[in-house]
Amino acid sequence: MTLIQKFTTLGTAIRFHGISGAMPHISTFWRKFGDRRDYQKLIKQDEISTKLREELRSKVGKFDSRPLISIILPVYNVDETWLRKCIDSVIAQVYPNWELCIADDASTRPYIRPMIEEYIGKDQRIKAVFRPRNGHISAASNSALELAAGDFTVLLDHDDELSEDALYWVASELNEHPEAEMIYSDEDLIDEKGRRSDPKFKPDFSRDLLYSLNLVTHLSSYRTDLLRKIGGFRIGLEGSQDYDLALRVIEQIPETAIRHIPRILYHWRTIPTSVAGNTGAKPYAFAKAREAIGSHFDRTGIEATVEAVIGDLNRAQYQLPDPLPRVSLVIDAGNADPFGSRTDYPDLEMIAVDTAGKLSTRLNSAAELSTGQVLCFVDGTLNPLSPDWLREMVSLAMQPKIGAVGAKLLSTNGGIDQTGLILGGSDLVRKAHFGFPNDHNGNFFRAALIGNYSAVSSRCLVIRRYAFEEMNGFDDKHFAGNFFDVDLCLRLWEHGYRVVYTPYAELIETYKRLQIPVNEAEREYLQSRWESQLKHDPFYNPHFTDEGETFRYRV
């Protein structure tokens, strides 16, 4: 966004919401400044000292298993400097049991083959195939895969670098979780001068976020036999061949076999010819990504289309059933009129919640009175910003494996109130992206894309009646006015359902409601019932603080 665009956005926020409307934009400016500073501190903290290097090597000797890891490296006409840095980053690995499988895709630059042969002469763990004809990256990657003899295969691009401990952590993960079939890590960018920036601190596996962007990207690794089983890289998906690969892999394995290492193990080079440095470098890659997702939906029987959204990323739009299911709007307090007049959903009943008694009990009672196949619990102080908000949420909620669906909730000043709920820390539950401007993409684009959270708020929560009744509704025995929505969502996850957030349903507060005080008994029960989830929220990276604002770096 240019400086003029930023001032225009700021002016618009002030015009509609007064001075308070400027606060999310001002705080975001300082947040960005602080994040850049704090990440440089994190880099220094994570530097591998001679002592740590020896400690890691000593731990390798104590591994129960030391699997051979094959790194496949397709090469084509890359600058000599970047190829050397790439290969040197493999040779420098703390973990020694690796092989580098290079496939040169008929490069025309004269230094490429001699350089590769030079490295083969230096290290017997390096081998190569020189393709007689250029077949592009999918074919070259398949040629490199043919050389692989390792148990696991790691993907590497010819101008990127692995962190020195990358393969150590892959091997460590395989020792702790021998059932793993797919492993991915966090990543950052590295420029031509070796300066690192823009870390991607990712959540654990999030299926719906994967349908929105390539969550896996770098570092990605797979069981070699599995890659061969699915036929390797698909010809015709060049530019998003690794995205397509990940989608075909997850069709073959349970999600419990997908592991995330929350460490920066891969440095993605920012040069003009790479997507990391220039999203316009390979415009075809984004179209191929949508083709890959669409093919995945076709293979798995999901009735959905994929369209381009912000940043040329993706939006899955699920087909609504015909006839449409009846939706019961369970409206707590406030004014019911906005929900009747500001939705284009035709088959609707509205049920006002009784004002007496515990909130969780009141919502359960209203749900019992309803007749809809789908329940929409909504705070009456919210105002929908577009008439299709309910269609969007229902289309997601009707998917068999999706339990609860949450919306993007905005504060009275127009900034983000929440995109989902984050677990952990002394507060136990915090609002994701609270205080960010509405037009901010958030961490890893998660405020702007469909994705998963451990929980979403009952202030706007859509769920099929079947799933709600299967969970026996909200637990009003242990939770009166707080945490009952978190508990419901966690029970849905426990029963194999996903909890999904969509930014394409937006509702804004018309006024602030008084917060219901947290009962100490509620806190204690939540902590005892969901101890492990509160210690580690799978959709919140441990590099972020568990106190205060969400998505701030832990330094």
Side-chain angles (χ1 to χ4, degrees), residues 50-83:
T50 301
K51 180 181 178 181
L52 178 58
R53 188 177 295 112
E54 291 308 313
E55 286 178 1
L56 295 180
R57 285 174 176 157
S58 175
K59 288 180 179 179
V60 170
K62 298 174 184 177
F63 282 169
D64 292 333
S65 169
R66 287 181 286 279
L68 176 63
I69 298 175
S70 300
I71 304 106
I72 63 172
L73 178 63
V75 171
Y76 180 71
N77 279 353
V78 62
D79 186 284
E80 180 177 358
T81 300
W82 311 135
L83 183 57

Side-chain angles (χ1 to χ4, degrees), residues 53 102 106 115 117 271 300 323 387 415 467 487 498 509:
R53 188 177 295 112
I102 303 173
M115 185 194 309
E117 290 174 337
I271 53 178
T300 54
D487 172 76
R498 305 197 304 275
E509 293 176 325

Side-chain angles (χ1 to χ4, degrees), residues 487-507:
D487 172 76
L488 174 71
C489 290
L490 291 176
R491 284 186 283 126
L492 286 166
W493 280 110
E494 196 174 53
H495 283 75
Y497 293 105
R498 305 197 304 275
V499 175
V500 177
Y501 153 77
T502 175
Y504 307 111
E506 289 185 312
L507 298 92

Side-chain angles (χ1 to χ4, degrees), residues 262-449:
R263 293 175 178 272
I264 302 287
L265 302 185
Y266 195 103
H267 311 305
W268 196 2
R269 184 79 59 188
T270 56
I271 53 178
T273 54
S274 76
V275 176
N278 175 17
T279 55
K282 298 176 181 178
Y284 58 89
F286 299 103
K288 292 297 183 183
R290 286 182 279 282
E291 182 181 339
I293 299 166
S295 296
H296 168 75
F297 287 160
D298 290 342
R299 290 189 300 269
T300 54
I302 297 173
E303 294 184 347
T305 58
V306 188
E307 68 172 29
V309 289
I310 185 168
D312 219 353
L313 298 173
N314 315 301
R315 176 187 180 184
Q317 289 190 286
Y318 297 88
Q319 185 174 321
L320 280 161
D322 185 17
L324 291 173
R326 166 168 283 197
V327 175
S328 298
L329 275 178
V330 179
I331 304 167
D332 176 49
N335 180 11
D337 179 66
F339 301 100
S341 62
R342 299 210 63 180
T343 178
D344 59 8
Y345 199 90
D347 193 357
L348 198 65
E349 71 171 357
M350 290 186 288
I351 299 175
V353 175
D354 190 355
T355 57
K358 297 186 294 186
L359 177 57
S360 55
T361 301
R362 290 169 6 219
L363 294 177
N364 280 340
S365 298
E368 288 178 7
L369 294 173
S370 68
T371 62
Q373 186 182 347
V374 177
L375 303 174
C376 175
F377 298 95
V378 66
D379 187 328
T381 66
L382 297 171
N383 191 5
L385 294 185
S386 64
D388 61 349
W389 68 280
L390 192 52
R391 286 180 178 269
E392 166 69 9
M393 298 184 76
V394 172
S395 71
L396 284 158
M398 290 303 293
Q399 300 307 303
K401 291 294 185 180
I402 292 179
V405 180
K408 188 178 193 179
L409 305 185
L410 306 179
S411 300
T412 53
N413 66 3
I416 296 175
D417 178 71
Q418 60 186 277
T419 59
L421 298 175
I422 302 294
L423 309 184
S426 59
D427 291 334
L428 303 187
V429 179
R430 290 178 296 158
K431 300 174 181 179
H433 296 111
F434 174 78
F436 284 68
N438 186 26
D439 61 354
H440 197 288
N441 296 331
N443 169 254
F444 202 45
F445 288 90
R446 289 178 66 190
L449 298 174

Side-chain angles (χ1 to χ4, degrees), residues 420-494:
L421 298 175
I422 302 294
L423 309 184
S426 59
D427 291 334
L428 303 187
V429 179
R430 290 178 296 158
K431 300 174 181 179
H433 296 111
F434 174 78
F436 284 68
N438 186 26
D439 61 354
H440 197 288
N441 296 331
N443 169 254
F444 202 45
F445 288 90
R446 289 178 66 190
L449 298 174
I450 297 172
N452 302 106
Y453 285 97
S454 287
V456 292
S457 172
S458 61
R459 294 190 69 199
C460 187
L461 185 154
V462 174
I463 183 172
R464 278 174 293 138
R465 174 181 295 279
Y466 173 82
F468 188 71
E469 291 179 348
E470 186 183 356
M471 299 299 110
N472 295 314
F474 296 118
D475 180 356
D476 55 2
K477 177 183 177 182
H478 297 101
F479 303 105
N482 291 283
F483 305 139
F484 56 84
D485 43 11
V486 175
D487 172 76
L488 174 71
C489 290
L490 291 176
R491 284 186 283 126
L492 286 166
W493 280 110
E494 196 174 53

Side-chain angles (χ1 to χ4, degrees), residues 129-167:
V129 59
F130 297 93
R131 291 170 49 83
R133 291 181 301 278
N134 179 257
H136 304 294
I137 192 166
S138 293
S141 297
N142 284 335
S143 294
L145 181 60
E146 289 176 7
L147 299 176
D151 305 286
F152 242 71
T153 292
V154 167
L155 312 187
L156 179 61
D157 289 347
H158 62 193
D159 47 8
D160 298 340
E161 296 180 33
L162 299 178
S163 70
E164 187 179 352
D165 55 349
L167 301 185

